[in-house]
Amino acid sequence: METLAFGTSQREEPASLYLLENKNHTMIKVSDYGATLVSVLVLDKNGVLQDVVLGYDNAGQYESHSCYFGATIGRNCNRIEKAQMMIDGKLCKIAANEDQNNLHSGPNGFDRKVWEVKQQTDHSITFFHLSTEEEQGFPGNLKVEVTYTLTDQDAIEISYRGETDKATIMNCTNHSYFNLGGHDSGSVMEQKLQILAQYYTPVGDSKSIPTGEISPVEGTPMDFRIMKPIGRDIEDDFEQLKLTSGYDHNYILSDRAGEMKIMAHAYCEQTGIAMEASTDCCAVQLYTGNFIEEQTGKGGAAYGRRCGFCLESQFYPNAVNQANFPSPIVKAGDVFTTKTIYRFFVK
């Protein structure tokens, strides 16, 4: 495994970049800053190496932007209404960073930390972070690990492990933005996507908090059960799409976590690169980069609105405040684990 310097944080903490390569010359680059997936390099149908995730060239650029490119999000990904919840009978208040709500655990999330490298091999690396009670305001001291493994089947396995000394939330995800045409190829609206979900959770307004309702995708633009271009229905006259300026919705995979299943397929005709995504989580958030501002990414690439899509495996948004949603609470002494896999191939 090759290790490179990756700049420093605003707190003058040095960051590193770790390069993992398999026998097929597929490569991933991950950083200890934010336990971030920086690059995924796969061969396209013409034998050209394509980097299919958005990102930046150093830790300082990640710290100065707010798109969460490739970051590990936690303790809680997605949104918590009014930045508060009841845990173990006590009211817990955390920082509000999106209107009155908490998004991705607020301004002091896992994406802003330099993680410790706990273990590494030629094909895997494990990052460790001790999230104290004081760090974000959640109860308990949470020991959390994220392991990236690159297999010889061109799959990236992202495994999470957490253990707490008090009841708390553990709902982590990876926030990679995929562009199967290459990270510098522009819009993903013509790329095709399938999500194997019959239901989704509608939001109540532009703040994107689910109403608690579980709605069928059938007969709506939210239906991705049959593969279609991501942008085919995105501008339809449909309230849910208008509220979030495109897709930014939670799709239900099951009513509980723990069972590994395929959640999505994606494909780009121009490169021939396809992706199969699997998870043991109970939901996946589809986000179509509706609010990516024009900016410069890796290698001087121009990024803008809808130039990447996210498939964020997780619990339902605001699940801690919705009694009918699967609970993201981990009890003291329990070990919580979860895994998501993104596999790439050419067809």
Side-chain angles (χ1 to χ4, degrees):
M1 181 187 298
E2 185 178 1
T3 304
L4 303 173
F6 200 57
T8 58
S9 71
Q10 293 175 2
R11 295 183 296 275
E12 299 300 321
E13 300 167 295
S16 297
L17 189 67
Y18 303 87
L19 282 60
L20 289 70
E21 185 174 1
N22 68 12
K23 67 179 184 180
N24 307 317
H25 304 297
T26 297
M27 179 184 292
I28 66 172
K29 300 178 183 180
V30 294
S31 177
D32 49 10
Y33 182 81
T36 297
L37 182 59
V38 173
S39 291
V40 177
L41 295 148
V42 296
L43 292 173
D44 68 11
K45 64 184 180 181
N46 297 314
V48 177
L49 208 58
Q50 300 284 355
D51 189 347
V52 297
V53 295
L54 277 58
Y56 301 113
D57 288 325
N58 57 65
Q61 290 176 306
Y62 279 95
E63 194 164 25
S64 62
H65 289 83
S66 58
C67 287
Y68 304 97
F69 289 157
T72 295
I73 306 297
R75 298 184 189 187
N76 184 76
C77 62
N78 217 305
R79 293 167 175 88
I80 295 176
E81 186 176 17
K82 297 181 181 178
Q84 63 183 29
M85 70 223 83
M86 295 294 293
I87 297 181
D88 215 14
K90 298 179 181 178
L91 180 64
C92 174
K93 295 184 178 182
I94 54 178
N97 64 322
E98 189 185 59
D99 297 317
Q100 303 173 26
N101 304 316
N102 178 276
L103 173 65
H104 295 329
S105 299
N108 207 22
F110 290 175
D111 58 297
R112 301 286 171 170
K113 304 299 178 186
V114 177
W115 293 55
E116 174 188 337
V117 176
K118 181 176 181 178
Q119 186 174 353
Q120 61 188 75
T121 69
D122 288 341
H123 299 293
S124 70
I125 186 166
T126 298
F127 297 110
F128 171 81
H129 177 63
L130 174 60
S131 176
T132 65
E133 285 192 324
E134 295 77 20
E135 180 179 277
Q136 297 172 349
F138 291 103
N141 299 299
L142 178 70
K143 297 177 181 177
V144 60
E145 298 176 7
V146 180
T147 300
Y148 289 95
T149 302
L150 176 61
T151 75
D152 283 334
Q153 290 72 45
D154 294 336
I156 303 166
E157 299 181 354
I158 308 176
S159 302
Y160 305 86
R161 183 185 188 276
E163 186 174 1
T164 178
D165 56 9
K166 291 182 183 178
T168 193
I169 288 179
M170 184 172 170
N171 180 26
C172 296
T173 196
N174 180 271
H175 209 299
S176 285
Y177 290 69
F178 298 100
N179 186 328
L180 302 183
H183 78 103
D184 54 357
S185 65
S187 173
V188 296
M189 291 298 96
E190 294 301 316
Q191 295 177 29
K192 295 180 179 180
L193 179 65
Q194 178 187 35
I195 300 177
L196 301 175
Q198 298 184 58
Y199 300 94
Y200 76 106
T201 52
V203 299
D205 55 31
S206 61
K207 296 178 182 179
S208 296
I209 299 294
T211 62
E213 179 185 6
I214 294 174
S215 294
V217 299
E218 186 174 3
T220 77
M222 311 304 290
D223 194 348
F224 280 90
R225 290 174 298 171
I226 296 175
M227 184 172 277
K228 67 180 181 181
I230 294 170
R232 190 186 75 181
D233 304 323
I234 202 168
E235 301 296 345
D236 280 12
D237 185 14
F238 188 70
E239 182 185 23
Q240 287 296 308
L241 293 174
K242 290 182 175 181
L243 287 174
T244 54
S245 298
Y247 296 102
D248 190 6
H249 291 82
N250 169 64
Y251 284 79
I252 294 174
L253 304 173
S254 61
D255 59 2
R256 62 178 61 86
E259 179 186 353
M260 184 64 69
K261 81 286 287 179
I262 296 173
M263 64 177 177
H265 295 96
Y267 177 63
C268 176
E269 291 184 359
Q270 284 69 35
T271 59
I273 295 173
M275 180 177 74
E276 177 187 87
S278 304
T279 189
D280 59 7
C281 294
C282 55
V284 59
Q285 184 89 2
L286 169 62
Y287 176 52
T288 47
N290 310 315
F291 299 104
I292 300 175
E293 297 178 353
E294 292 188 4
Q295 58 187 278
T296 301
K298 288 180 290 189
Y303 293 162
R305 188 170 187 248
R306 296 179 178 166
C307 67
F309 66 92
C310 303
L311 293 169
E312 306 161 58
S313 54
Q314 56 191 257
F315 285 92
Y316 308 178
N318 196 39
V320 70
N321 290 317
Q322 287 283 358
N324 63 319
F325 288 177
S327 174
I329 299 296
V330 178
K331 296 180 180 179
D334 288 352
V335 175
F336 179 78
T337 62
T338 184
K339 179 186 289 188
T340 296
I341 303 170
Y342 302 100
R343 183 174 69 89
F344 300 88
F345 55 99
V346 170
K347 68 174 186 178

